[in-house]
Amino acid sequence: MSTRKATAVSCSNIAFIKYWGNRDQIERLPANDSLSMNLAALTTTTTVEFDRALTADVVMIGGRAITGPGRDRVSHVLDRVRAWRGLAAYARVDSRNNFPSGAGLASSASAFAALALAASAAAGLQLDEVQLSRLARFGSGSACRSVPGGYVEWTAGEDDRSSYAQSIAPADYWDLHDVIALIDLSHKSIGSTQGHALADTSPLQAARVATVPDRLVRARQAILNRDFAALTEVVEQDSLMMHAVMITSSPPLLYWQPGTLAVLHAVTEWRAAGLPCCATIDAGPNVHVICPAEAAPEVERRVRAVAGVRQVLVAAPGGPATLINA
Ligand code: PMV
């Protein structure tokens, strides 16, 4: 057979306990454990086709061919699949997001989870969820958390074999929503791969990493108990800890814009007035406002009215990465 093809779809995810900094940049072994919720409304669909007629990997994102470091990153994941399978053929990769990429919405998470599943299936490998999570991690750390479904915990581990993510509760365990305030839709100047490499330049990183285990236990318990007040406290603290590290790195990474701060202050006010919601921010200016599903219409209405918010997306908990043509 000269060509083998598979298509996979995967959700993005929002971290409640953040991954920031690597112990090993190449293998993407993280400085700390992390925990996230998959986002059903934010997906990447990726088709991979191995073709012996190709002379190099061809990578299309959103219908446009990419070259340079972006394509190399995809090829590194494909190389791992080729090595496992003993395959020599290059691949054609076609990847499409249904949301804006590069604006702090973790497009790399859904993209590399979908790539790992589509590429391994196209190569004829039958990987279990742990192996798939490890493969996705190699492309983008947070992508390992988009392989399993629902609420997902990534154990940092000590090496490639022990660093992977697993579901702690399925998507339907707790109907939280993520109301995402998009502040800036342009591509961010410093992506997370470069950002991770700066984490250790902040004197606050060691304190953040040392205190993650306590926050992780609290976040996990809050989810298992469906305790929104407990989740609020730990989610906001963890996000601010990561941004404190970013802001105090050399050079500093200040992702926030005026609209970011406006949403943060508004969320604090709304909560004080009785609306259950909390805020968390990844490596970008956008604010993820997490709330119980029943509060989502009101939260969405209010977020849309905050100055500096350009667009709002709403996502329910999402399932695992899946093959759609198997
Ligand atoms: O997977 P990466 O390298 O894009 O890193 C993601 C880092 C954060 O989104 C900021 C936090 C996280 O845990 O998702």
Side-chain angles (χ1 to χ4, degrees), residues 259-282:
T260 312
L261 211 48
V263 176
L264 285 185
H265 283 300
V267 164
T268 306
E269 276 172 31
W270 300 338
R271 192 166 62 237
L275 185 65
C277 55
C278 64
T280 184
I281 306 167
D282 278 345

Side-chain angles (χ1 to χ4, degrees), residues 267-312:
V267 164
T268 306
E269 276 172 31
W270 300 338
R271 192 166 62 237
L275 185 65
C277 55
C278 64
T280 184
I281 306 167
D282 278 345
N286 307 315
V287 186
H288 295 249
V289 184
I290 311 298
C291 62
E294 41 303 353
E298 179 62 15
V299 169
E300 181 185 356
R301 194 184 66 76
R302 294 191 192 190
V303 168
R304 282 188 190 280
V306 175
V309 175
R310 303 197 172 212
Q311 202 180 318
V312 177

Side-chain angles (χ1 to χ4, degrees), residues 36-243:
S36 56
M37 178 179 96
N38 280 1
L39 302 175
L42 278 63
T43 61
T44 300
T45 303
T46 299
T47 300
V48 175
E49 181 174 19
F50 289 98
D51 185 343
R52 285 187 197 145
L54 293 173
T55 53
D57 291 323
V58 177
V59 179
M60 309 283 289
I61 298 181
R64 286 178 45 208
I66 60 156
T67 52
R71 185 184 61 175
D72 293 348
R73 201 165 157 189
V74 171
S75 289
H76 283 143
V77 173
L78 295 170
D79 285 345
R80 202 158 268 211
V81 170
R82 282 187 278 255
W84 283 351
R85 190 70 172 108
L87 200 66
Y90 289 108
R92 196 174 292 111
V93 176
D94 183 27
S95 183
R96 287 167 198 274
N97 294 333
N98 71 346
F99 58 93
S101 59
L105 287 178
S107 57
S108 64
S110 49
F112 281 101
L115 177 71
L117 181 51
S120 56
L125 283 170
Q126 288 183 342
L127 303 184
D128 63 23
E129 195 176 81
V130 167
Q131 291 169 316
L132 270 175
S133 179
R134 287 168 46 204
L135 180 61
R137 189 203 74 232
F138 188 60
S140 164
S142 58
C144 79
R145 296 189 313 241
S146 280
V147 170
Y151 296 87
V152 176
E153 192 172 318
W154 174 13
T155 304
E158 274 154 19
D159 53 16
D160 169 47
R161 281 183 176 275
S162 55
S163 188
Y164 56 85
Q166 284 180 305
S167 178
I168 60 162
D172 63 2
Y173 183 81
W174 192 13
D175 198 6
L176 293 181
H177 276 29
D178 181 1
V179 179
I180 309 166
L182 298 179
I183 307 294
D184 182 354
L185 305 184
S186 61
H187 212 278
K188 60 196 176 195
S189 49
I190 300 205
S192 42
T193 297
Q194 283 170 279
H196 290 299
L198 297 178
D200 281 328
T201 66
S202 166
L204 304 186
Q205 170 72 347
R208 188 192 71 85
V209 170
T211 53
V212 163
D214 171 64
R215 287 193 298 282
L216 190 88
V217 169
R218 284 160 55 206
R220 189 196 299 131
Q221 273 314 311
I223 290 166
L224 295 179
N225 297 337
R226 301 185 185 88
D227 181 343
F228 192 74
L231 188 70
T232 289
E233 199 182 323
V234 70
V235 162
E236 291 203 343
Q237 191 182 38
D238 192 81
S239 173
L240 294 172
M241 289 284 273
M242 180 181 73
H243 284 272

